[in-house]
Amino acid sequence: MAKRGFQGAVLRAFGAHDHIATVTSTQLITPHYLRVWLHSETLFDAVEACPTAWLRFWMPDPADPEVEHQRAYTIALAEPAAGDFAVDFVLHEPAGPGSAWAQQAEPGDAVSLTSIGSSRFEVSDEPPAGYLVIGDAASIPAIRTIVATVPSEIPIELYLQLHDEADRDIPLGEHPALRVHWVPAAAPEEMAQAIEARDWSGWYAWVAPESVVLRHVRARLKKEFGFGKQSQYLQAYWVRGREMGRRR
Ligand SMILES: Cc1cc2nc3c(=O)[nH]c(=O)nc-3n(C[C@H](O)[C@H](O)[C@H](O)COP(=O)(O)OP(=O)(O)OC[C@H]3O[C@@H](n4cnc5c(N)ncnc54)[C@H](O)[C@@H]3O)c2cc1C
């Protein structure tokens, strides 16, 4: 039995329960981006594969199989009736339990998931003038679901941090009013500086980059462009130099 900490107890108290998913296949999309297809008998009884939905995976510690690390990953593709879904993993260095698990995943491998606290991207009845979307390879699976959901007449300005030249080959989906801007990742403030200085009033910002990048973007969105709480979703998807997630 794996060690279960306070976080696990709290999730259980809120009614979360684990699902088991089994790897069915893997597909390398770029040298550092791996799609893993999984099957679960129970997941889609409890989870809706809505835009930007994500799961809490419990990844085994590479050095101690008694310990599991919680890591968030997005449902990239789903075939709920069949119980099948895909997750796209960034294979980064240094690796962590999440990326290491994906790198070694083989058909038949089982992993535990908790389904609580996910997010849902929805276009409201009175849609914004446009969507300013900011992220990187880790949030591209979620961004792809946004691109697929935004009505075709609403513009999307998408800013992506380029951590690896091959990131450009990760599919983003198609949208007639999508403009993509790749931003070098040399310094964390570069993303905030890259955002076009223009009138963004009436726009909605969906922002999910690395945490220090997020801090700079948040400040510029607020101070210079006037984005408020109702017109933005901000979430750090990873933290440079630190692990992101609890253990049990
Ligand atoms: C809601 C949500 C949804 C997410 N969906 C996805 C998804 O679909 N696919 C995906 O790949 N990630 C996704 N992420 C990000 C993912 O949870 C983090 O990248 C996580 O840190 C990976 O865990 P790990 O065990 O591989 O590395 P950790 O143990 O957390 O970190 C180890 C080292 O790797 C570095 N690192 C972590 N992530 C990255 C990265 N992306 N690029 C470069 N270095 C990194 C850290 O800075 C640290 O030095 C999501 C995050 C959130 C919050």
Side-chain angles (χ1 to χ4, degrees), residues 33 54 71-74 87-90 92-100 136-139 141 163 233 235-245:
Y33 209 69
W54 53 275
R71 295 289 185 265
Y73 286 96
T74 306
V87 175
D88 292 351
F89 290 84
V90 177
H92 49 83
E93 286 295 337
S99 48
D136 64 15
S139 45
H163 293 286
Y233 171 88
Q235 164 87 56
Y237 264 39
W238 60 284
V239 185
R240 181 169 297 285
R242 274 183 37 203
E243 68 177 89
M244 174 118 170

Side-chain angles (χ1 to χ4, degrees), residues 13 17 20 29 33 41 90-91 95 116 135 139-140 154 160 179 190 197 232 247:
H17 63 280
I20 300 298
I29 293 176
Y33 209 69
E41 289 293 325
V90 177
L91 304 178
I116 189 171
S139 45
I140 284 179
I154 300 182
L160 290 170
R179 284 208 314 165
E190 273 188 84
Q232 62 183 13
R247 60 179 63 194

Side-chain angles (χ1 to χ4, degrees), residues 3 63 81 90 132:
K3 291 170 193 163
V90 177
L132 171 60

Side-chain angles (χ1 to χ4, degrees), residues 6-246:
F6 178 71
Q7 170 84 355
V10 169
L11 290 175
R12 238 155 277 280
F14 278 91
H17 63 280
D18 285 5
H19 303 272
I20 300 298
T22 308
V23 176
T24 54
S25 65
T26 62
Q27 176 197 0
L28 205 54
I29 293 176
T30 78
H32 302 290
Y33 209 69
L34 181 75
R35 176 161 296 166
V36 178
W37 276 96
L38 299 122
H39 175 82
S40 172
E41 289 293 325
T42 59
L43 180 67
F44 293 107
D45 295 339
V47 171
E48 194 190 338
C50 55
T52 72
W54 53 275
L55 302 165
R56 297 170 191 265
F57 280 71
W58 290 102
M59 306 300 197
D61 187 300
D64 180 357
E66 287 291 299
V67 174
E68 293 175 315
H69 299 263
Q70 188 189 98
R71 295 289 185 265
Y73 286 96
T74 306
I75 301 175
L77 293 165
E79 294 166 12
D84 295 332
F85 64 105
V87 175
D88 292 351
F89 290 84
V90 177
L91 304 178
H92 49 83
E93 286 295 337
S99 48
W101 179 86
Q103 184 124 42
Q104 291 163 16
E106 288 185 359
D109 288 357
V111 65
S112 175
L113 317 167
T114 301
S115 58
I116 189 171
S118 182
S119 54
R120 172 196 284 263
F121 174 85
E122 284 176 313
V123 178
S124 64
D125 293 341
E126 289 182 30
Y131 287 92
L132 171 60
V133 180
I134 298 175
D136 64 15
S139 45
I140 284 179
I143 290 168
R144 209 184 297 119
T145 67
I146 292 174
V147 169
T149 305
V150 171
S152 59
E153 68 280 7
I154 300 182
I156 306 171
E157 295 289 335
L158 172 56
Y159 288 80
L160 290 170
Q161 196 110 52
L162 187 67
H163 293 286
D164 184 303
E165 267 306 312
D167 288 351
R168 297 179 194 271
D169 298 330
I170 302 170
L172 300 173
E174 301 211 344
H175 187 285
L178 169 68
R179 284 208 314 165
V180 182
H181 314 263
W182 286 100
V183 179
E189 59 274 20
E190 273 188 84
M191 176 60 89
Q193 290 164 356
I195 303 168
E196 188 183 349
R198 52 169 281 184
D199 180 5
W200 292 101
S201 48
W203 283 59
Y204 186 89
W206 191 95
V207 184
E210 189 276 331
S211 77
V212 181
V213 174
L214 175 67
R215 202 183 325 137
H216 290 284
V217 170
R218 174 193 278 130
R220 189 156 189 230
L221 290 187
K222 185 175 175 195
K223 287 185 197 142
E224 199 175 326
F225 303 136
F227 280 92
K229 282 199 172 129
Q230 302 306 316
S231 57
Q232 62 183 13
Y233 171 88
L234 306 175
Q235 164 87 56
Y237 264 39
W238 60 284
V239 185
R240 181 169 297 285
R242 274 183 37 203
E243 68 177 89
M244 174 118 170
R246 310 289 176 130

